[in-house]
Amino acid sequence: MMPDVVLRLGFTVLDRQIVDREGNNTGKVDDVEFTWDGKRAPVMTALLTDTAALGPRLSGRLGRFWRTVMQRMRPTSDEPVRVPVEDVEEFSPSTRLRTAAPENAVIVEDWLREHVIGRIPGSGS
Amino acid sequence: MKWLKAFTLGMLTAIGGFLDIGDLVSGSIAGARFGMSLAWVIVLGVVGLMVFTEMSARVTAVSGRATFDLVRERLGARAGLANLLASYLITLLTLSAQIGGIALTLELASGLHHLLWVPVAAVLIWIVLWKLPFERMETSYGLLGTALIVFAVALWLLGPDWGALAADAVSFSPPPDEGWAAWTYYGVALFGSAMTPYTVLFFSSGGVEEKWTVGDLATARVNVFFGLPLGSLLSLAVMACAAVHLAPADVRVTDLSQVALPVISALGELGLVVVLVGFLAATFGASLEAALAAGYSVSQYFGWPWGKSLPPRRAAAFQTVLLLSIVAGALFMLTGVDPIMVTEYSLVLSAAALPLTYLPIFVVANDREYLGERTNSWLTNLLGSVYLVILLVVSVAAIPLMLFTKAGQ
């Protein structure tokens, strides 16, 4: 559990770099998820990452354009990757996870590794 | 001894790596048309570059993160994305100009048309980025770039009237046969070339690649405060060579061979060989830096793993951006656009976009969360604020000036 301090989401959570247990970059905090049981105050339950989560946060024409492109490019699922808030070790200066990176956290990275970069000789292991 | 070696190496790298196609072209054009009357812009630009590069080095050394990694955290998703798009396009244009510069240099060396050399240049850039370790890459082109000291030697041998050059440099007005608008326009281009944004993007991410810590800050500062001014002396030498040798003959610089002309006439064939080595090192080095800067900025916005020191497989998206940027730059040059013109436009557009790079650096360098006790001193903040005002004025004036003067005609 987080200690009892004021956490300003816009300042300390959103748009921060997410780093997994091994110290690898696994995307930015593109959005957050709130759960509300209808009675008590809403609680932040997860961080959303993956560029698809970014679309709705960009208003105007740029945001619409982003959403359209993302829908075209991601045929598999349009649900962004969730990181449960319990997995977060600390939020700032970067969001450190106590777990390995969630699956498909950076879907572009995996696809490009498999289909482009990994096929070029000398790409390492 | 080891310290001394690192020091000399870093310094030579900073000097040799200072010049790129933008500095060569804009310095020479300005010298041939306006004599030394725009020399002060180079000085102004380099002091600004020192102030902001030091901030950037400090942020990287203390927080272990590249300055542009922090842009999105500070600006938010939307403004960050707008900044990224603008910076990326300008870096791409700069990369294209450098590829054009490599091709022009190889044309001078071989006599084969430069368009034939564009694909060769692109492939070479990619291979070096794919294979060569970071530090070896940086020092090789930096050391070879010191060949451009030949401009200073040539200037000496041309035996100019030093007093007249100095008087020209403090005249702060265009020569009688030139108008204020064109003079100001080239002033903006020179300022853009001295403060080119990709250099800072590259510098701070490079610091992360080399795993700088607070202990490396002293070396970085020495390079910034001595290497950059010494490098800018070469810029001034290029300008002075043009002022002494090209201006009296009323030569309008439209090609890289004219930039080299003063050196060739002072030093003959040997001068030509040395100057070509220098051109090649400068443009090739700048291509590597610009391509990396493009890859760094995109990857850092999206939070992907990035870096030349990672095996390519582990930074696949980053490597793809590098590859696509190089291909895009080469294709653009293959359309047959004039490399010198692309260079000029890249400088003026860089000038217009300067605040996008330097304002975030200034904001982050004042942030205690990242820097603790090492935030900007009052002096740095004073200087930085003055420069931000200058950057803003230059940025607002750049595009209208370009339209009004029909790109300096």
Side-chain angles (χ1 to χ4, degrees):
Chain A
M1 276 306 289
M2 291 280 128
D4 221 14
V5 289
V6 178
L7 188 68
R8 287 160 68 203
L9 292 187
F11 214 66
T12 33
V13 180
L14 282 173
D15 294 312
R16 293 271 165 171
Q17 178 72 48
I18 307 178
V19 181
D20 76 0
R21 196 176 44 195
E22 270 86 46
N24 302 314
N25 289 354
T26 51
K28 297 258 173 176
V29 181
D30 289 306
D31 210 342
V32 286
E33 178 196 86
F34 275 87
T35 312
W36 188 36
D37 60 6
K39 284 174 265 172
R40 275 165 306 173
V43 200
M44 179 170 74
T45 43
L47 311 177
L48 305 179
T49 176
D50 177 352
T51 31
L54 190 59
R57 277 194 54 218
L58 304 170
S59 53
R61 201 170 289 165
L62 187 65
R64 276 202 299 281
F65 171 74
W66 195 260
R67 264 167 287 174
T68 322
V69 174
M70 282 304 139
Q71 271 162 12
R72 294 245 172 230
M73 283 172 60
R74 307 183 58 232
T76 42
S77 70
D78 38 17
E79 284 297 305
V81 176
R82 275 180 90 247
V83 180
V85 104
E86 295 80 34
D87 289 356
V88 178
E89 176 100 42
E90 63 171 348
F91 281 104
S92 144
S94 16
T95 307
R96 303 195 67 85
L97 305 183
R98 51 177 121 246
T99 56
E103 206 147 306
N104 291 339
V106 191
I107 202 166
V108 209
E109 177 77 23
D110 301 336
W111 193 89
L112 289 171
R113 178 182 312 121
E114 200 133 311
H115 295 90
V116 188
I117 298 300
R119 301 198 170 187
I120 304 173
S123 63
S125 46
Chain B
M1 268 324 272
K2 208 178 156 204
W3 178 83
L4 191 67
K5 193 179 149 223
F7 173 76
T8 334
L9 204 63
M11 185 89 105
L12 287 175
T13 312
I15 299 168
F18 185 83
L19 292 180
D20 65 7
I21 186 80
D23 303 291
L24 291 168
V25 166
S26 63
S28 191
I29 292 182
R33 270 184 74 171
F34 309 108
M36 291 304 278
S37 64
L38 283 170
W40 61 276
V41 179
I42 296 182
V43 177
L44 184 75
V46 116
V47 172
L49 188 66
M50 282 157 61
V51 172
F52 286 97
T53 311
E54 191 275 335
M55 282 186 216
S56 198
R58 191 150 31 84
V59 172
T60 302
V62 176
S63 70
R65 296 182 63 187
T67 318
F68 266 70
D69 190 7
L70 307 172
V71 161
R72 187 169 155 196
E73 286 180 17
R74 277 286 148 270
L75 295 186
R78 192 176 156 77
L81 185 59
N83 188 330
L84 170 72
L85 288 177
S87 309
Y88 179 78
L89 285 177
I90 287 162
T91 307
L92 198 59
L93 196 63
T94 311
L95 172 62
S96 311
Q98 310 295 340
I99 293 178
I102 301 176
L104 283 180
T105 309
L106 291 171
E107 175 178 329
L108 284 178
S110 67
L112 290 175
H113 194 273
H114 72 265
L115 283 182
L116 290 172
W117 288 110
V118 168
V120 178
V123 170
L124 283 177
I125 294 167
W126 181 77
I127 291 180
V128 168
L129 287 178
W130 186 259
K131 273 278 160 224
L132 216 62
F134 190 87
E135 259 175 275
R136 188 127 49 93
M137 171 193 97
E138 218 189 351
T139 39
S140 349
Y141 69 69
L143 290 182
L144 284 174
T146 49
L148 289 172
I149 292 176
V150 75
F151 273 97
V153 177
L155 182 64
W156 189 263
L157 291 177
L158 287 170
D161 177 354
W162 298 97
L165 279 184
D168 206 13
V170 293
S171 67
F172 299 109
S173 58
D177 55 333
E178 292 281 358
W180 279 90
W183 186 73
T184 318
Y185 172 78
Y186 279 106
V188 166
L190 277 170
F191 193 68
S193 82
M195 291 197 76
T196 17
Y198 81 89
T199 334
V200 194
L201 282 173
F202 168 78
F203 183 76
S204 88
S205 303
V208 177
E209 297 245 38
E210 290 177 320
K211 300 201 166 53
W212 285 355
T213 59
V214 179
D216 298 305
L217 201 52
T219 327
R221 279 193 174 135
V222 168
N223 289 340
V224 168
F225 291 133
F226 293 93
L228 293 182
L230 285 175
S232 76
L233 285 182
L234 293 186
S235 250
L236 289 170
V238 171
M239 183 186 259
C241 275
V244 171
H245 192 72
L246 303 179
D250 245 345
V251 177
R252 285 252 171 157
V253 176
T254 53
D255 195 14
L256 202 54
S257 58
Q258 289 157 316
V259 179
L261 215 52
V263 177
I264 299 169
S265 75
L267 285 154
E269 201 131 306
L270 177 72
L272 176 66
V273 173
V274 178
V275 96
L276 286 180
V277 170
F279 281 175
L280 200 59
T283 51
F284 198 79
S287 309
L288 301 172
E289 292 185 1
L292 283 169
Y296 289 142
S297 57
V298 176
S299 307
Q300 289 168 3
Y301 178 85
F302 290 114
W304 299 333
W306 54 269
K308 222 186 102 51
S309 41
L310 289 177
R313 268 184 72 83
R314 290 189 44 212
F318 167 75
Q319 288 287 346
T320 311
V321 177
L322 289 188
L323 185 58
L324 290 180
S325 306
I326 297 169
V327 170
L331 284 179
F332 180 54
M333 293 321 291
L334 281 176
T335 59
V337 285
D338 174 19
I340 301 296
M341 219 167 64
V342 174
T343 306
E344 264 189 62
Y345 282 121
S346 77
L347 294 179
V348 176
L349 291 178
S350 294
L354 286 174
L356 291 180
T357 308
Y358 292 102
L359 180 65
I361 293 178
F362 187 73
V363 173
V364 174
N366 273 303
D367 195 324
R368 285 186 182 277
E369 192 197 339
Y370 301 115
L371 284 166
E373 291 303 302
R374 287 175 189 268
T375 48
N376 283 351
S377 66
W378 66 269
L379 182 65
T380 315
N381 272 337
L382 183 70
L383 268 173
S385 314
V386 171
Y387 267 94
L388 283 176
V389 173
I390 301 176
L391 293 175
L392 213 61
V393 173
V394 169
S395 143
V396 171
I399 308 263
L401 261 176
M402 179 161 88
L403 298 175
F404 180 70
T405 60
K406 298 200 178 70
Q409 281 166 23

